[in-house]
Coordinates of all heavy atoms in Angstrom, one line a residue:
M13 N -11.6 -24.4 4.0 CA -12.6 -23.6 3.3 C -11.8 -22.8 2.3 O -10.8 -22.2 2.6 CB -13.3 -22.7 4.3 CG -14.3 -21.8 3.7 SD -15.2 -20.7 4.8 CE -16.1 -21.8 5.8
T14 N -12.4 -22.7 1.1 CA -11.8 -21.8 0.1 C -12.2 -20.4 0.2 O -13.2 -20.1 0.9 CB -12.2 -22.3 -1.3 OG1 -13.6 -22.1 -1.5 CG2 -11.9 -23.8 -1.6
M15 N -11.4 -19.5 -0.4 CA -11.7 -18.1 -0.3 C -13.1 -17.8 -0.8 O -13.9 -17.0 -0.3 CB -10.7 -17.3 -1.0 CG -10.9 -15.8 -1.1 SD -10.2 -14.9 0.3 CE -8.5 -14.9 -0.2
D16 N -13.5 -18.4 -2.0 CA -14.8 -18.2 -2.6 C -15.9 -18.5 -1.6 O -16.9 -17.8 -1.6 CB -15.0 -19.0 -3.8 CG -14.1 -18.5 -5.0 OD1 -13.6 -17.3 -4.9 OD2 -13.8 -19.2 -5.9
K17 N -15.8 -19.6 -0.8 CA -16.8 -20.0 0.1 C -16.8 -19.1 1.4 O -17.9 -18.9 2.0 CB -16.7 -21.4 0.5 CG -17.0 -22.4 -0.6 CD -16.8 -23.8 -0.2 CE -17.1 -24.7 -1.4 NZ -16.9 -26.1 -1.1
A18 N -15.7 -18.5 1.7 CA -15.6 -17.6 2.9 C -16.2 -16.2 2.7 O -16.5 -15.5 3.6 CB -14.1 -17.5 3.3
I19 N -16.3 -15.8 1.4 CA -16.8 -14.5 1.1 C -18.3 -14.5 0.9 O -18.8 -15.3 0.1 CB -16.1 -14.0 -0.2 CG1 -14.6 -13.8 0.0 CG2 -16.8 -12.6 -0.6 CD1 -13.9 -13.5 -1.3
K20 N -19.0 -13.8 1.8 CA -20.4 -13.8 1.8 C -21.0 -13.0 0.6 O -22.0 -13.4 0.0 CB -21.0 -13.3 3.1 CG -22.5 -13.3 3.3 CD -22.9 -12.9 4.6 CE -24.4 -13.0 4.8 NZ -24.8 -12.6 6.1
E21 N -20.4 -11.8 0.4 CA -20.9 -10.9 -0.6 C -19.8 -10.0 -1.2 O -19.0 -9.5 -0.4 CB -22.0 -10.0 0.0 CG -22.6 -9.0 -1.0 CD -23.6 -8.0 -0.3 OE1 -23.7 -8.1 0.9 OE2 -24.2 -7.2 -1.0
V22 N -19.7 -9.9 -2.5 CA -18.7 -9.0 -3.1 C -19.3 -7.7 -3.4 O -20.4 -7.6 -4.0 CB -18.2 -9.6 -4.5 CG1 -17.3 -8.7 -5.2 CG2 -17.6 -11.0 -4.2
L23 N -18.8 -6.6 -2.8 CA -19.3 -5.3 -2.9 C -18.7 -4.6 -4.1 O -19.4 -3.8 -4.7 CB -19.1 -4.5 -1.6 CG -19.7 -5.1 -0.3 CD1 -19.3 -4.3 0.9 CD2 -21.2 -5.2 -0.4
I24 N -17.4 -4.8 -4.4 CA -16.8 -4.1 -5.5 C -16.0 -5.2 -6.2 O -15.2 -5.9 -5.6 CB -15.8 -3.0 -5.0 CG1 -16.6 -2.0 -4.2 CG2 -15.1 -2.3 -6.2 CD1 -15.7 -1.0 -3.5
S25 N -16.2 -5.3 -7.5 CA -15.6 -6.4 -8.3 C -14.1 -6.2 -8.4 O -13.6 -5.0 -8.3 CB -16.2 -6.4 -9.7 OG -15.7 -5.3 -10.5
E26 N -13.4 -7.2 -8.6 CA -11.9 -7.2 -8.8 C -11.6 -6.3 -10.0 O -10.6 -5.5 -10.0 CB -11.3 -8.5 -9.0 CG -9.8 -8.5 -9.2 CD -9.2 -9.9 -9.3 OE1 -9.9 -10.9 -9.2 OE2 -8.0 -10.0 -9.5
E27 N -12.4 -6.4 -11.1 CA -12.1 -5.5 -12.2 C -12.2 -4.0 -11.9 O -11.4 -3.2 -12.4 CB -13.1 -5.9 -13.4 CG -12.9 -7.3 -13.9 CD -13.5 -8.4 -13.1 OE1 -14.3 -8.2 -12.2 OE2 -13.0 -9.6 -13.3
E28 N -13.2 -3.7 -11.1 CA -13.4 -2.3 -10.8 C -12.3 -1.8 -9.9 O -11.8 -0.7 -10.1 CB -14.8 -2.1 -10.1 CG -15.1 -0.6 -9.9 CD -16.5 -0.4 -9.3 OE1 -17.3 -1.4 -9.3 OE2 -16.8 0.7 -8.9
I29 N -11.8 -2.6 -8.9 CA -10.7 -2.3 -8.1 C -9.5 -2.0 -8.9 O -8.8 -1.0 -8.8 CB -10.5 -3.3 -7.0 CG1 -11.6 -3.3 -6.0 CG2 -9.1 -3.1 -6.3 CD1 -11.6 -4.5 -5.0
Q30 N -9.2 -3.0 -9.9 CA -8.0 -2.9 -10.7 C -8.1 -1.6 -11.6 O -7.0 -1.0 -11.8 CB -7.8 -4.1 -11.5 CG -7.4 -5.3 -10.7 CD -6.1 -5.1 -9.9 OE1 -5.2 -4.5 -10.3 NE2 -6.1 -5.6 -8.7
K31 N -9.3 -1.3 -12.1 CA -9.4 -0.1 -12.9 C -9.0 1.2 -12.1 O -8.3 2.0 -12.6 CB -10.9 0.0 -13.3 CG -11.2 1.3 -14.1 CD -12.7 1.4 -14.4 CE -13.1 2.7 -14.9 NZ -14.1 3.4 -14.1
H32 N -9.5 1.3 -10.8 CA -9.1 2.4 -10.0 C -7.7 2.4 -9.6 O -7.1 3.5 -9.5 CB -10.1 2.5 -8.8 CG -11.5 2.9 -9.1 ND1 -11.8 4.1 -9.6 CD2 -12.6 2.1 -9.2 CE1 -13.1 4.2 -9.8 NE2 -13.6 3.0 -9.6
I33 N -7.1 1.3 -9.4 CA -5.7 1.2 -9.1 C -4.9 1.7 -10.3 O -3.9 2.4 -10.1 CB -5.2 -0.2 -8.7 CG1 -5.8 -0.6 -7.3 CG2 -3.7 -0.4 -8.7 CD1 -5.6 -2.0 -6.9
K34 N -5.3 1.3 -11.5 CA -4.6 1.8 -12.7 C -4.7 3.3 -12.8 O -3.7 4.0 -13.1 CB -5.2 1.1 -13.9 CG -4.5 1.4 -15.2 CD -5.0 0.6 -16.4 CE -4.2 0.8 -17.6 NZ -4.6 -0.1 -18.7
E35 N -5.8 3.9 -12.6 CA -6.0 5.3 -12.6 C -5.2 6.0 -11.5 O -4.5 7.0 -11.8 CB -7.5 5.7 -12.4 CG -8.4 5.3 -13.5 CD -9.9 5.4 -13.2 OE1 -10.2 5.8 -12.1 OE2 -10.7 5.1 -14.1
L36 N -5.1 5.5 -10.3 CA -4.3 6.0 -9.3 C -2.9 6.0 -9.6 O -2.1 6.9 -9.4 CB -4.6 5.3 -7.9 CG -3.9 5.8 -6.7 CD1 -4.1 7.3 -6.4 CD2 -4.2 4.9 -5.5
G37 N -2.4 4.8 -10.1 CA -1.0 4.7 -10.5 C -0.6 5.7 -11.6 O 0.5 6.3 -11.5
A38 N -1.5 6.0 -12.5 CA -1.2 7.0 -13.6 C -1.1 8.4 -12.9 O -0.2 9.2 -13.3 CB -2.3 7.0 -14.7
T39 N -2.1 8.7 -12.1 CA -2.1 10.0 -11.4 C -0.8 10.2 -10.6 O -0.2 11.3 -10.6 CB -3.3 10.2 -10.5 OG1 -4.5 10.0 -11.3 CG2 -3.4 11.5 -9.8
L40 N -0.5 9.2 -9.8 CA 0.7 9.3 -8.9 C 2.0 9.4 -9.7 O 2.9 10.2 -9.4 CB 0.8 8.2 -7.9 CG -0.3 8.1 -6.8 CD1 -0.2 6.8 -6.1 CD2 -0.1 9.3 -5.9
S41 N 2.1 8.7 -10.8 CA 3.2 8.7 -11.7 C 3.4 10.1 -12.3 O 4.6 10.6 -12.3 CB 3.1 7.7 -12.8 OG 3.1 6.4 -12.3
E42 N 2.3 10.7 -12.7 CA 2.4 12.1 -13.3 C 2.8 13.1 -12.2 O 3.7 13.9 -12.4 CB 1.1 12.4 -13.9 CG 1.1 13.8 -14.5 CD -0.3 14.1 -15.2 OE1 -0.9 13.2 -15.7 OE2 -0.7 15.3 -15.1
E43 N 2.2 13.0 -11.0 CA 2.4 13.9 -10.0 C 3.8 13.8 -9.4 O 4.4 14.8 -9.0 CB 1.4 13.8 -8.9 CG 1.4 14.8 -7.8 CD 0.2 14.8 -6.8 OE1 -0.8 14.3 -7.3 OE2 0.4 15.2 -5.7
Y44 N 4.4 12.6 -9.3 CA 5.6 12.4 -8.6 C 6.8 12.0 -9.5 O 7.9 11.6 -9.0 CB 5.5 11.3 -7.5 CG 4.6 11.8 -6.4 CD1 3.3 11.5 -6.3 CD2 5.2 12.6 -5.3 CE1 2.5 11.9 -5.3 CE2 4.4 13.0 -4.3 CZ 3.0 12.7 -4.3 OH 2.3 13.2 -3.2
H45 N 6.6 12.1 -10.8 CA 7.7 11.6 -11.8 C 9.0 12.3 -11.6 O 10.1 11.7 -11.8 CB 7.2 11.8 -13.2 CG 7.3 13.2 -13.7 ND1 6.3 14.1 -13.5 CD2 8.2 13.8 -14.4 CE1 6.7 15.3 -14.0 NE2 7.8 15.1 -14.6
D46 N 9.1 13.5 -11.1 CA 10.3 14.2 -10.9 C 10.7 14.5 -9.5 O 11.5 15.3 -9.1 CB 10.3 15.6 -11.7 CG 9.2 16.5 -11.1 OD1 8.3 16.0 -10.4 OD2 9.2 17.7 -11.5
K47 N 10.1 13.7 -8.6 CA 10.3 13.9 -7.1 C 11.1 12.7 -6.6 O 11.3 11.7 -7.2 CB 9.0 13.9 -6.4 CG 7.9 14.9 -6.9 CD 8.1 16.2 -6.3 CE 7.0 17.2 -6.5 NZ 6.7 17.6 -7.9
N48 N 11.7 12.9 -5.4 CA 12.5 11.8 -4.7 C 11.5 11.0 -3.9 O 11.2 11.3 -2.7 CB 13.5 12.5 -3.9 CG 14.4 11.5 -3.2 OD1 14.4 10.3 -3.5 ND2 15.3 11.9 -2.3
R49 N 10.8 10.1 -4.5 CA 9.7 9.4 -3.9 C 10.0 8.1 -3.2 O 11.0 7.4 -3.5 CB 8.6 9.1 -5.0 CG 9.1 8.2 -6.1 CD 8.4 8.5 -7.4 NE 9.3 8.0 -8.5 CZ 10.1 8.7 -9.2 NH1 10.2 10.0 -8.9 NH2 10.9 8.2 -10.1
L50 N 9.2 7.8 -2.2 CA 9.3 6.5 -1.5 C 7.9 6.1 -1.1 O 7.1 6.8 -0.6 CB 10.1 6.8 -0.2 CG 10.2 5.6 0.8 CD1 11.1 4.5 0.2 CD2 10.7 6.0 2.2
I51 N 7.6 4.9 -1.6 CA 6.3 4.3 -1.2 C 6.4 3.5 0.1 O 7.3 2.7 0.2 CB 5.8 3.4 -2.3 CG1 5.5 4.2 -3.6 CG2 4.5 2.7 -1.9 CD1 4.9 3.5 -4.8
V52 N 5.6 3.8 1.0 CA 5.6 3.1 2.3 C 4.3 2.3 2.6 O 3.2 2.9 2.4 CB 5.8 4.1 3.5 CG1 5.7 3.4 4.8 CG2 7.2 4.8 3.3
G53 N 4.4 1.1 2.9 CA 3.3 0.3 3.2 C 3.4 -0.3 4.7 O 4.4 -0.4 5.2
I54 N 2.2 -0.6 5.2 CA 2.1 -1.2 6.5 C 1.8 -2.6 6.4 O 0.8 -3.0 5.7 CB 1.0 -0.5 7.4 CG1 1.2 1.0 7.5 CG2 1.0 -1.1 8.8 CD1 2.5 1.5 8.1
L55 N 2.8 -3.5 6.9 CA 2.6 -4.9 6.8 C 1.4 -5.3 7.6 O 1.1 -4.7 8.7 CB 3.9 -5.6 7.3 CG 5.1 -5.5 6.4 CD1 6.3 -6.0 7.2 CD2 4.9 -6.2 5.1
K56 N 0.7 -6.3 7.2 CA 0.8 -7.1 6.1 C -0.3 -6.8 5.1 O -0.2 -7.1 3.9 CB 0.7 -8.6 6.5 CG 1.8 -9.0 7.4 CD 1.7 -10.4 7.8 CE 2.9 -10.7 8.8 NZ 2.7 -11.9 9.5
G57 N -1.3 -6.0 5.6 CA -2.4 -5.8 4.7 C -2.2 -4.9 3.5 O -2.9 -5.1 2.5
A58 N -1.2 -4.0 3.5 CA -1.0 -3.2 2.4 C -0.3 -3.8 1.2 O -0.3 -3.3 0.1 CB -0.2 -1.9 2.8
L59 N 0.3 -5.0 1.5 CA 1.2 -5.6 0.5 C 0.5 -5.9 -0.8 O 1.0 -5.5 -1.9 CB 1.9 -6.8 1.1 CG 3.0 -7.4 0.2 CD1 4.1 -6.3 0.0 CD2 3.6 -8.6 0.9
P60 N -0.6 -6.6 -0.9 CA -1.3 -6.8 -2.2 C -1.6 -5.6 -2.9 O -1.4 -5.5 -4.1 CB -2.5 -7.6 -1.8 CG -2.2 -8.2 -0.5 CD -1.4 -7.2 0.2
F61 N -2.2 -4.6 -2.3 CA -2.6 -3.3 -2.9 C -1.3 -2.6 -3.4 O -1.3 -2.1 -4.5 CB -3.3 -2.4 -1.9 CG -3.5 -1.0 -2.4 CD1 -4.4 -0.7 -3.5 CD2 -2.7 0.0 -1.9 CE1 -4.6 0.5 -3.9 CE2 -2.9 1.3 -2.4 CZ -3.8 1.6 -3.4
M62 N -0.3 -2.5 -2.6 CA 0.9 -1.8 -2.9 C 1.6 -2.4 -4.2 O 2.1 -1.7 -5.0 CB 1.9 -1.9 -1.7 CG 2.7 -0.6 -1.6 SD 3.6 -0.7 0.0 CE 5.2 -0.7 -0.5
A63 N 1.6 -3.8 -4.2 CA 2.2 -4.5 -5.4 C 1.4 -4.1 -6.6 O 2.0 -3.8 -7.7 CB 2.2 -6.0 -5.1
D64 N 0.1 -4.2 -6.6 CA -0.7 -3.8 -7.7 C -0.5 -2.4 -8.1 O -0.4 -2.1 -9.3 CB -2.2 -4.0 -7.4 CG -2.6 -5.5 -7.4 OD1 -1.8 -6.4 -7.9 OD2 -3.7 -5.8 -7.0
L65 N -0.4 -1.5 -7.2 CA -0.2 0.0 -7.5 C 1.1 0.2 -8.1 O 1.2 0.9 -9.1 CB -0.4 0.8 -6.2 CG -0.1 2.3 -6.4 CD1 -1.2 2.9 -7.3 CD2 -0.2 3.0 -5.0
M66 N 2.2 -0.4 -7.6 CA 3.5 -0.2 -8.1 C 3.6 -0.7 -9.6 O 4.3 -0.1 -10.4 CB 4.5 -0.9 -7.2 CG 4.7 -0.2 -5.9 SD 5.7 -1.0 -4.7 CE 7.3 -1.0 -5.6
K67 N 2.9 -1.8 -9.9 CA 2.9 -2.3 -11.3 C 2.3 -1.3 -12.2 O 2.6 -1.3 -13.4 CB 2.1 -3.6 -11.3 CG 2.7 -4.8 -10.7 CD 1.8 -6.0 -10.9 CE 2.1 -7.0 -9.8 NZ 1.1 -8.1 -9.8
Q68 N 1.4 -0.4 -11.7 CA 0.8 0.6 -12.6 C 1.5 1.9 -12.6 O 1.0 2.9 -13.2 CB -0.7 0.8 -12.1 CG -1.5 -0.4 -12.2 CD -1.6 -1.0 -13.6 OE1 -1.7 -0.3 -14.6 NE2 -1.7 -2.3 -13.6
M69 N 2.7 1.9 -12.1 CA 3.5 3.2 -12.0 C 4.8 3.0 -12.8 O 5.7 2.4 -12.3 CB 3.8 3.6 -10.6 CG 2.5 3.9 -9.8 SD 2.8 4.3 -8.1 CE 3.6 5.9 -8.3
P70 N 4.8 3.4 -14.1 CA 6.0 3.2 -14.9 C 7.1 4.2 -14.7 O 7.8 4.7 -15.6 CB 5.4 3.4 -16.3 CG 4.4 4.4 -16.1 CD 3.8 4.1 -14.8
I71 N 7.4 4.4 -13.4 CA 8.5 5.3 -13.0 C 9.4 4.5 -12.0 O 8.9 3.5 -11.4 CB 8.0 6.6 -12.3 CG1 7.1 6.3 -11.1 CG2 7.3 7.5 -13.4 CD1 6.6 7.6 -10.4
L72 N 10.6 4.9 -11.8 CA 11.5 4.2 -10.8 C 10.9 4.4 -9.5 O 10.6 5.6 -9.1 CB 12.9 4.7 -11.0 CG 13.6 4.3 -12.2 CD1 15.0 4.9 -12.3 CD2 13.8 2.8 -12.4
L73 N 10.8 3.4 -8.7 CA 10.2 3.5 -7.3 C 11.1 2.8 -6.3 O 11.8 1.8 -6.6 CB 8.9 2.8 -7.3 CG 7.8 3.4 -8.1 CD1 6.6 2.5 -8.2 CD2 7.3 4.7 -7.6
E74 N 11.1 3.4 -5.1 CA 11.8 2.8 -4.0 C 10.6 2.6 -3.0 O 9.8 3.4 -2.8 CB 12.9 3.6 -3.4 CG 13.6 2.9 -2.2 CD 14.8 3.8 -1.7 OE1 15.0 4.9 -2.2 OE2 15.4 3.3 -0.8
Y75 N 10.6 1.4 -2.3 CA 9.6 1.2 -1.3 C 10.2 0.7 0.0 O 11.3 0.2 0.0 CB 8.5 0.3 -1.8 CG 9.0 -1.2 -2.0 CD1 8.8 -2.1 -1.0 CD2 9.6 -1.6 -3.1 CE1 9.3 -3.4 -1.1 CE2 10.1 -2.9 -3.3 CZ 9.9 -3.8 -2.3 OH 10.3 -5.1 -2.4
D76 N 9.4 0.8 1.0 CA 9.8 0.2 2.3 C 8.5 -0.1 3.1 O 7.5 0.3 2.7 CB 10.6 1.3 3.1 CG 11.5 0.6 4.2 OD1 11.4 -0.6 4.5 OD2 12.3 1.4 4.8
M77 N 8.7 -1.0 4.1 CA 7.5 -1.4 4.8 C 7.7 -1.2 6.3 O 8.9 -1.2 6.8 CB 7.4 -2.9 4.6 CG 7.2 -3.4 3.2 SD 5.8 -2.7 2.3 CE 4.5 -3.6 3.0
M78 N 6.6 -0.9 7.0 CA 6.6 -0.9 8.5 C 5.7 -2.0 9.0 O 4.8 -2.4 8.2 CB 6.1 0.5 8.9 CG 6.9 1.7 8.7 SD 6.2 3.2 9.3 CE 6.4 2.9 11.1
D79 N 5.9 -2.4 10.2 CA 5.0 -3.3 10.8 C 4.6 -2.7 12.2 O 5.5 -2.3 13.0 CB 5.6 -4.7 11.1 CG 4.7 -5.7 11.5 OD1 3.5 -5.5 11.6 OD2 5.1 -6.9 11.7
V80 N 3.3 -2.5 12.4 CA 2.8 -1.9 13.6 C 1.8 -2.8 14.2 O 1.2 -3.6 13.6 CB 2.2 -0.5 13.4 CG1 3.3 0.5 12.9 CG2 1.0 -0.5 12.4
S81 N 1.6 -2.6 15.5 CA 0.6 -3.5 16.2 C -0.1 -2.7 17.3 O 0.6 -1.9 18.0 CB 1.3 -4.7 16.9 OG 0.4 -5.4 17.7
S82 N -1.4 -2.8 17.5 CA -2.1 -2.3 18.6 C -2.8 -3.4 19.3 O -3.6 -3.1 20.3 CB -3.1 -1.2 18.2 OG -4.1 -1.7 17.4
Y83 N -2.6 -4.6 18.9 CA -3.3 -5.8 19.5 C -2.4 -6.6 20.4 O -2.9 -7.1 21.4 CB -3.9 -6.7 18.4 CG -5.0 -6.1 17.6 CD1 -4.9 -5.1 16.6 CD2 -6.3 -6.4 17.9 CE1 -5.9 -4.6 15.9 CE2 -7.4 -5.9 17.3 CZ -7.2 -5.0 16.3 OH -8.3 -4.4 15.6
G84 N -1.1 -6.7 20.0 CA -0.3 -7.6 20.8 C -0.8 -9.0 20.7 O -1.2 -9.5 19.6
A85 N -1.0 -9.7 21.8 CA -1.5 -11.1 21.8 C -3.1 -11.0 22.0 O -3.7 -12.1 22.0 CB -0.9 -11.9 22.9
A86 N -3.6 -9.9 22.2 CA -5.1 -9.7 22.5 C -5.9 -9.8 21.2 O -5.3 -9.8 20.1 CB -5.3 -8.4 23.2
T87 N -7.2 -9.8 21.3 CA -8.1 -9.8 20.1 C -8.7 -8.4 20.0 O -9.5 -8.2 19.0 CB -9.2 -10.9 20.2 OG1 -9.9 -10.7 21.4 CG2 -8.5 -12.3 20.2
T88 N -8.5 -7.5 20.9 CA -9.0 -6.2 20.7 C -7.8 -5.2 20.9 O -6.8 -5.5 21.6 CB -10.1 -5.8 21.8 OG1 -9.5 -6.0 23.1 CG2 -11.3 -6.7 21.6
S89 N -7.9 -4.0 20.3 CA -6.9 -3.1 20.3 C -6.6 -2.5 21.7 O -7.6 -2.2 22.4 CB -7.2 -1.9 19.3 OG -6.2 -0.9 19.4
S90 N -5.4 -2.3 22.0 CA -5.1 -1.6 23.3 C -5.2 -0.1 23.2 O -5.2 0.6 24.2 CB -3.6 -2.0 23.6 OG -2.7 -1.4 22.7
G91 N -5.3 0.4 22.0 CA -5.4 1.8 21.7 C -4.0 2.5 21.6 O -3.9 3.6 21.2
E92 N -2.9 1.7 21.9 CA -1.6 2.2 21.7 C -0.9 1.5 20.6 O -1.0 0.3 20.5 CB -0.7 1.9 23.0 CG -1.2 2.8 24.2 CD -0.3 2.6 25.4 OE1 0.9 2.3 25.2 OE2 -0.8 2.6 26.5
V93 N -0.3 2.2 19.7 CA 0.3 1.6 18.5 C 1.8 1.4 18.8 O 2.5 2.3 19.2 CB 0.2 2.5 17.2 CG1 0.9 1.9 16.1 CG2 -1.3 2.7 16.9
K94 N 2.2 0.2 18.6 CA 3.6 -0.2 18.8 C 4.3 -0.4 17.5 O 3.7 -1.1 16.6 CB 3.7 -1.4 19.7 CG 5.1 -2.0 19.9 CD 5.1 -3.3 20.7 CE 6.5 -3.9 20.7 NZ 6.5 -5.2 21.1
I95 N 5.4 0.2 17.2 CA 6.1 0.0 16.0 C 7.0 -1.3 16.2 O 7.9 -1.3 17.0 CB 7.0 1.2 15.6 CG1 6.2 2.4 15.3 CG2 7.9 0.9 14.4 CD1 6.9 3.7 15.1
V96 N 6.6 -2.3 15.4 CA 7.3 -3.6 15.5 C 8.5 -3.6 14.5 O 9.6 -4.1 14.9 CB 6.3 -4.7 15.1 CG1 7.0 -6.1 15.1 CG2 5.1 -4.8 16.0
K97 N 8.3 -3.0 13.3 CA 9.4 -2.8 12.4 C 9.3 -1.4 11.8 O 8.3 -1.0 11.2 CB 9.3 -3.8 11.2 CG 10.5 -3.7 10.2 CD 10.1 -4.2 8.9 CE 11.1 -3.8 7.8 NZ 11.2 -2.4 7.5
D98 N 10.3 -0.6 12.0 CA 10.4 0.7 11.5 C 10.9 0.7 10.1 O 11.4 -0.3 9.6 CB 11.2 1.6 12.4 CG 10.9 3.1 12.3 OD1 10.1 3.5 11.3 OD2 11.3 3.9 13.1
L99 N 10.9 1.8 9.4 CA 11.5 2.0 8.1 C 13.0 1.7 8.1 O 13.7 2.1 9.1 CB 11.2 3.3 7.5 CG 9.7 3.7 7.3 CD1 9.5 5.1 6.9 CD2 9.1 2.7 6.3
D100 N 13.5 1.1 7.0 CA 14.9 0.9 6.9 C 15.7 2.1 6.2 O 16.9 2.2 6.3 CB 15.2 -0.4 6.1 CG 14.7 -1.6 6.8 OD1 14.8 -1.7 8.0 OD2 14.3 -2.6 6.0
V101 N 14.9 2.9 5.6 CA 15.5 4.1 4.9 C 14.9 5.4 5.5 O 13.8 5.4 6.1 CB 15.3 4.1 3.4 CG1 15.9 2.9 2.7 CG2 13.8 4.2 3.1
S102 N 15.7 6.4 5.4 CA 15.3 7.7 5.9 C 14.3 8.3 5.0 O 14.4 8.2 3.8 CB 16.5 8.7 6.1 OG 16.1 10.0 6.4
I103 N 13.3 9.0 5.6 CA 12.3 9.7 4.7 C 12.7 11.2 4.6 O 12.0 12.0 3.9 CB 10.9 9.6 5.3 CG1 10.7 10.2 6.7 CG2 10.5 8.1 5.3 CD1 9.3 10.3 7.1
E104 N 13.8 11.6 5.2 CA 14.2 13.1 5.1 C 14.4 13.4 3.6 O 15.1 12.8 2.8 CB 15.5 13.3 5.8 CG 15.8 14.8 5.9 CD 17.0 15.0 6.8 OE1 17.4 14.2 7.6 OE2 17.6 16.1 6.7
G105 N 13.7 14.5 3.2 CA 13.8 15.0 1.8 C 13.1 14.2 0.8 O 13.2 14.4 -0.4
R106 N 12.3 13.2 1.3 CA 11.5 12.3 0.4 C 10.1 12.7 0.3 O 9.5 13.3 1.2 CB 11.6 10.9 0.9 CG 13.0 10.3 1.2 CD 13.8 10.1 0.0 NE 13.4 9.2 -1.1 CZ 13.7 8.0 -1.1 NH1 14.4 7.4 -0.3 NH2 13.2 7.2 -2.2
H107 N 9.5 12.3 -0.8 CA 8.0 12.5 -1.0 C 7.4 11.1 -0.7 O 7.6 10.2 -1.5 CB 7.7 12.9 -2.4 CG 8.0 14.4 -2.6 ND1 7.1 15.4 -2.5 CD2 9.2 14.9 -2.9 CE1 7.7 16.5 -2.8 NE2 9.0 16.3 -3.0
V108 N 6.8 10.9 0.5 CA 6.3 9.6 0.9 C 4.9 9.4 0.4 O 4.0 10.3 0.5 CB 6.3 9.5 2.4 CG1 5.7 8.2 2.9 CG2 7.7 9.7 3.0
I109 N 4.7 8.3 -0.3 CA 3.4 7.9 -0.9 C 2.9 6.8 0.0 O 3.6 5.8 0.2 CB 3.5 7.5 -2.3 CG1 4.1 8.6 -3.2 CG2 2.2 7.0 -2.9 CD1 4.5 8.2 -4.6

């Protein structure tokens, strides 16, 4: 099945999402341009959004990823979050986005 057939209804267009990501990137770039910033994403869902956001931020960026799980092998959450992969860099003294 293709993605187009799997989507029942589009609530927000891709163009509208990209417009807001561009605005957010500009705002964050202005606010954090002189800070020691680190963008942190949670695998795997944040990756597409994070990539789009970083493209809209014309400042030097460092990023890292975490992987967490509350499901394990189950199909419902256990309610406990397990850190599968922690950050590789320290966040001490950093502005985490």
Side-chain angles (χ1 to χ4, degrees):
M13 179 182 296
T14 65
M15 178 92 71
D16 290 340
K17 291 181 182 178
I19 297 172
K20 185 175 180 178
E21 179 183 5
V22 175
L23 301 176
I24 303 172
S25 72
E26 181 177 356
E27 293 79 17
E28 190 173 347
I29 292 170
Q30 291 302 321
K31 175 183 166 240
H32 288 289
I33 290 173
K34 186 173 185 173
E35 292 170 359
L36 180 59
T39 299
L40 291 172
S41 293
E42 183 178 323
E43 188 170 332
Y44 291 97
H45 77 278
D46 61 345
K47 307 272 191 299
N48 185 10
R49 61 211 159 263
L50 175 69
I51 295 183
V52 174
I54 305 298
L55 291 170
K56 299 179 181 165
L59 192 57
F61 169 75
M62 215 169 120
D64 284 349
L65 179 62
M66 290 173 62
K67 288 181 207 174
Q68 298 301 325
M69 297 178 71
I71 57 177
L72 292 175
L73 295 168
E74 184 177 1
Y75 70 93
D76 202 352
M77 305 297 288
M78 292 182 72
D79 191 2
V80 298
S81 174
S82 66
Y83 288 80
T87 57
T88 58
S89 175
S90 66
E92 292 183 33
V93 176
K94 176 183 171 192
I95 296 176
V96 178
K97 181 208 171 291
D98 205 346
L99 297 174
D100 294 326
V101 299
S102 172
I103 62 169
E104 186 174 345
R106 306 296 298 267
H107 289 262
V108 178
I109 301 170

